[in-house]
């Protein structure tokens, strides 16, 4: 396991294992953009992409660039490290983010929420995406995480 | 034509319960056989009567067990899909097989030994094991790690406990459910377990102070909100209602059974978390509960004792809501008012102590307790109990519920 800092869950999967369907997401991630597949017929977003739209059973999709902001739908603070290698990472926030520009359910992202006060994080908090570009990754993986949007 | 009252549980068999890993040199196979033989004996039947395996979570390999025990002919071998959610539903599978004429005597069982493995991901199985569980059910293993695994594997959610913490947090947010409510589930079940010699690990009283002083594992869940981890096996035998009348034990009729869930619940808890808003902070049992009561022709008010799957204490509260013991969102105050206490509550819950305080055999200890309550032989016997509810899950679809009656 790679060295880590408090609150940052070290990526355990360092390759994307992408296929044709998911590659556009990872290509955009390398470029610090959040790409999301949208049903061309009914407009439903689904992340990750599945072979059929769960709303209208259509296959065709188009890739849309989302703003990369959203809100915390729910979360947990992991306090107990399941592996000795996670000792440095805990406490660590993980949860579900609903993305601005989508319909919510069906397109939520399940992510590590970093740079937050684990005792102050709340459902509904506004967050933004941030990509960690893994240097050692042969497939050039960029891991998406979210962090609170600071008051400007 | 439904399976209502068409089959009955006539035998229960069990091994001792051990702390995780301590059942060695027994094996999952030897424990399964021990429990099956004990269940057949309890019913006054023998291996020559057994002809069906109605299981869940692929709990054993019927090919292996039947071969080891010398079962003359297997006529039915099926499992509900996914994991522990199918527990109670497997009893319905047995009733369906018997009522449909495919088998005459079915065993439903779980055997569990966590020696070289640990359910739910940890250093034992490698952090990746849980994180990348393939959504492919192919026996050939699909193509290894699926392309969609990379969308969840690095989230930091590594175990069922982490996932159910996220679910619980949402319930607290929507309804004001509190840790005091989870504590009441843990404390009441501990009290039930204390009177039982079978309690595997947690055999001292639990106070509110103990609860709040326990270490947090994953907010909002602390140590005592988590299930025990134990080894052991439990088996039950089901035959037709007609045949049950002539056997050793008082028949425990399978009044109704249902399993499933909405499509979008799917594998929600474990990988996708994509269930619609109105279902997310629930146990996923609502549609199952509806069909269950319809088949039985009763309501929650008719249930005398409830044995809900309790891998995590908040899931008891959400099931009390979804099975109609209280309105949606009011499960917390409902338990706080003392409603689930044995002896004084309106609906005694997990009178055996459950997974939280007796043993974790993936739901089968609940089936055993439901049978004993209806027989009238339970250690914490609910006076006059005639109808018992037992459930499997929340987990990936299917989740399940079964009603047993006198
Ligand atoms: Zn569509």
């Amino acid at each position: 396991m790679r060295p880590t800092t408090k609150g940052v869950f070290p990526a355990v999967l360092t390759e994307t294992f992408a296929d044709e369907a998911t590659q556009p997401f990872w290509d955009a991630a390398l470029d610090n953009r959040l790409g999301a597949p949208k049903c061309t017929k009914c407009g439903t977003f689904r992340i990750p992409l599945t072979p059929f739209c769960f709303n209208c059973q259509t296959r065709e999709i188009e890739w849309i660039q989302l703003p990369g902001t959203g809100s915390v739908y729910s979360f947990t603070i992991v306090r107990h490290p399941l592996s000795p290698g996670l000792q440095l990472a805990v406490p660590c926030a993980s949860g579900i983010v609903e993305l601005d520009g989508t319909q919510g359910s069906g397109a939520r992202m399940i992510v590590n929420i970093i740079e937050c006060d684990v005792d102050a994080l709340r459902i509904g908090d506004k967050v933004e995406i941030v990509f960690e570009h893994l240097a050692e990754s042969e497939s050039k993986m960029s891991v998406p995480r979210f962090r609170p949007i600071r008051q400007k | 034509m439904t399976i209502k009252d068409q089959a009955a549980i006539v035998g229960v068999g069990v091994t001792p319960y051990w702390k995780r890993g301590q059942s060695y040199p027994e094996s999952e196979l030897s424990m399964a056989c021990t429990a099956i033989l004990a269940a057949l004996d309890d019913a006054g039947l023998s291996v020559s009567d057994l002809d069906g395996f109605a299981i869940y979570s692929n709990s054993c390999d019927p090919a292996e067990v039947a071969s080891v025990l010398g079962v003359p002919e297997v006529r039915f071998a099926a499992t509900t899909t996914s994991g522990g959610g199918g527990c109670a539903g497997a009893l319905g599978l047995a009733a369906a097989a018997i009522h449909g004429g495919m088998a005459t005597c079915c065993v439903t069982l779980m055997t569990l030994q966590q020696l070289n493995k640990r359910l739910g991901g940890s250093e034992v199985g490698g952090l990746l094991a849980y994180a990348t569980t393939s959504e492919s059910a192919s026996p050939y293993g699909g193509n290894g790690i699926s392309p969609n695994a990379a969308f969840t594997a690095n989230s930091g959610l590594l175990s069922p406990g982490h996932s159910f913490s996220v679910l619980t947090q949402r319930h607290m947010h929507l309804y004001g459910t509190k840790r005091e409510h989870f504590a009441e589930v843990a404390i009441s079940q501990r009290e039930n377990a204390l009177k039982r010699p079978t309690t595997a690990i947690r055999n001292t009283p639990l106070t509110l102070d103990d609860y709040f002083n326990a270490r947090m594992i994953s907010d909002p869940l602390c140590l005592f909100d988590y299930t025990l981890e134990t080894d052991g096996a439990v088996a039950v035998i089901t035959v037709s209602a007609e045949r049950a009348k002539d056997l050793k034990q008082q028949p425990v009729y399978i009044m109704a059974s249902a399993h499933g869930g909405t499509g979008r619940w799917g594998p929600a808890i474990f990988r996708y978390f994509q269930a619609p808003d109105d279902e997310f902070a629930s146990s996923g049992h609502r549609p199952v509960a509806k069909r269950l009561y319809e088949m039985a022709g009763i309501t929650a008010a008719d249930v005398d004792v409830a044995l809900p799957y309790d891998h995590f204490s908040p899931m008891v509260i959400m099931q009390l809501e979804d099975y109609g013991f209280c309105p949606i969102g009011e499960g917390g105050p409902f338990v706080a008012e003392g409603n689930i206490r044995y002896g004084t509550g309106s609906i005694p819950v997990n009178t055996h102590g459950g997974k939280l305080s007796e043993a974790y055999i993936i739901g089968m200890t609940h089936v055993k307790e439901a049978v004993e309550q209806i027989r009238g032989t339970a250690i914490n016997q609910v006076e006059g109990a005639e109808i018992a509810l037992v459930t499997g899950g929340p987990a990936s679809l299917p989740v399940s519920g079964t009603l047993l009656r006198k």
Side-chain angles (χ1 to χ4, degrees):
Chain A
M1 183 163 297
R2 299 167 316 116
T4 188
T5 47
K6 213 156 270 310
V8 179
F9 179 76
V12 291
L13 195 66
T14 54
E15 290 181 58
T16 63
F17 291 92
D19 60 6
E20 229 172 86
T22 63
Q23 190 62 50
F25 177 92
W26 299 110
D27 288 344
L30 281 178
D31 199 24
N32 298 306
R33 289 181 291 110
L34 174 58
K38 181 185 186 184
C39 174
T40 54
K41 189 176 175 198
C42 78
T44 299
F45 283 91
R46 46 195 210 272
I47 299 174
L49 181 61
T50 48
F52 290 86
C53 173
F54 61 83
N55 187 50
C56 74
Q57 294 75 47
T58 294
R59 300 201 78 158
E60 289 70 34
I61 51 117
E62 56 182 330
W63 284 88
I64 304 289
Q65 187 177 323
L66 294 173
T69 56
S71 54
V72 176
Y73 183 75
S74 196
F75 67 96
T76 181
I77 308 298
V78 177
R79 309 250 178 205
H80 173 72
L82 271 179
S83 157
L86 293 175
Q87 200 74 248
L88 288 170
V90 295
C92 192
S94 290
I96 305 172
V97 170
E98 285 203 331
L99 301 168
D100 294 339
T102 74
Q103 78 282 357
S105 164
R108 300 181 187 128
M109 288 185 74
I110 300 160
V111 290
N112 177 202
I113 300 166
I114 59 171
E115 297 173 31
C116 66
D117 175 354
V118 294
D119 296 316
L121 188 66
R122 295 287 177 269
I123 286 174
D125 283 359
K126 298 297 289 179
V127 288
E128 64 187 359
I129 202 164
V130 52
F131 292 95
E132 182 196 3
H133 304 290
L134 301 181
E136 75 270 33
S137 169
E138 254 181 51
S139 64
K140 291 194 173 25
M141 186 184 200
S142 291
V143 177
R145 295 193 175 88
F146 279 75
R147 66 180 172 206
I149 298 175
R150 310 282 172 214
Q151 297 291 337
K152 298 235 160 59
Chain B
M1 184 205 78
T2 72
I3 58 168
K4 186 186 179 205
D5 301 330
Q6 297 295 319
I9 296 172
V10 292
V12 180
V14 62
T15 66
Y17 305 139
W18 292 270
K19 288 184 188 179
R20 171 167 59 88
Q22 293 187 356
S23 57
Y24 185 83
E26 292 293 329
S27 64
E28 289 193 340
L29 176 61
S30 70
M31 292 191 295
C33 292
T34 299
I36 292 170
L37 290 173
L40 287 166
D41 186 58
D42 183 50
L45 295 168
S46 71
V47 166
S48 59
D49 295 296
L50 182 64
D51 65 358
F53 290 79
I55 58 176
Y56 63 103
S57 193
N58 284 295
S59 62
C60 72
D61 179 5
E64 199 173 34
V65 172
S67 147
V68 168
L69 288 179
V71 174
E73 183 184 359
V74 173
R75 301 190 180 98
F76 186 84
T79 179
T80 53
T81 50
S82 196
C87 176
L91 301 172
L93 191 61
I98 289 162
H99 185 47
M102 298 180 78
T104 62
C105 177
C106 287
V107 65
T108 299
L109 79 148
M110 179 50 69
T111 181
L112 177 63
Q113 181 179 63
Q114 299 194 76
L115 193 60
N116 302 311
K117 63 177 182 183
R118 196 172 177 191
L119 294 177
S122 69
E123 57 194 302
V124 181
L127 288 175
L128 264 176
Y130 180 79
T132 61
T133 304
S134 170
E135 67 259 42
S136 161
S138 165
Y140 306 107
N143 299 313
I145 294 176
S146 93
N148 281 352
F151 286 83
T152 52
N154 292 330
S155 66
L157 299 178
L158 292 171
S159 72
H162 294 171
S163 301
F164 281 108
S165 295
V166 174
L167 186 70
T168 301
Q169 190 88 259
R170 185 80 192 164
H171 196 274
M172 297 169 88
H173 171 77
L174 288 177
Y175 305 119
T177 318
K178 297 179 186 144
R179 289 193 63 210
E180 281 80 356
H181 303 151
F182 311 146
E184 168 62 14
V185 173
I187 290 168
S188 64
Q189 292 196 195
R190 176 68 61 85
E191 196 173 296
N192 295 341
L194 288 180
K195 298 161 200 153
R196 298 170 60 81
T198 46
T199 296
I201 299 169
R202 292 175 177 166
N203 48 16
T204 52
L206 179 67
T207 67
L208 199 59
D209 277 348
D210 296 336
Y211 179 88
F212 278 100
N213 287 329
R215 64 194 161 96
M216 297 300 291
I217 305 295
S218 50
D219 297 7
L221 303 187
C222 73
L223 181 67
F224 296 121
D225 294 311
Y226 270 67
T227 178
L228 298 171
E229 294 178 286
T230 49
D231 289 2
V234 180
V236 299
I237 302 293
T238 301
V239 301
S240 73
E242 193 57 39
R243 189 175 180 193
K245 287 177 195 155
D246 305 324
L247 296 179
K248 217 161 101 184
Q249 305 289 348
Q250 175 193 324
V252 173
Y253 295 99
I254 296 174
M255 190 182 194
S257 184
H259 69 265
T262 69
R264 291 300 293 166
W265 177 267
I269 307 306
F270 292 94
R271 290 189 293 284
Y272 289 159
F273 281 107
Q274 304 290 14
D277 207 31
D278 61 357
E279 193 182 17
F280 183 94
S282 83
S283 68
H285 277 262
R286 265 172 232 166
V288 169
K290 183 170 181 290
R291 279 187 287 123
L292 185 67
Y293 289 136
E294 277 170 8
M295 182 184 286
I298 66 164
T299 69
D302 299 307
V303 177
D304 299 307
V305 56
L307 294 309
Y309 203 84
D310 61 330
H311 40 6
F312 303 99
S313 61
M315 300 307 129
V316 170
I317 289 173
M318 291 184 215
Q319 287 180 79
L320 290 169
E321 296 174 0
D322 290 345
Y323 279 93
F325 294 103
C326 61
I328 303 296
E330 294 179 23
F334 181 78
V335 302
E337 285 157 16
N339 281 299
I340 64 172
R341 290 272 173 160
Y342 169 67
T344 53
S346 61
I347 177 69
V349 163
N350 288 334
T351 41
H352 58 322
K355 298 170 180 188
L356 295 174
S357 276
E358 190 200 35
Y360 172 77
I361 313 292
I362 318 187
M364 281 304 290
T365 61
H366 299 57
V367 173
K368 175 175 179 282
E369 175 70 6
V371 170
E372 290 178 0
Q373 285 288 350
I374 298 306
R375 285 181 178 175
T377 60
I379 289 174
N380 294 315
Q381 181 64 43
V382 173
E383 205 146 327
E386 294 194 349
I387 298 178
L389 168 71
V390 58
T391 74
S396 296
L397 177 163
V399 300
S400 63
T402 288
L403 288 163
L404 301 179
R405 74 160 178 85
K406 199 162 246 176

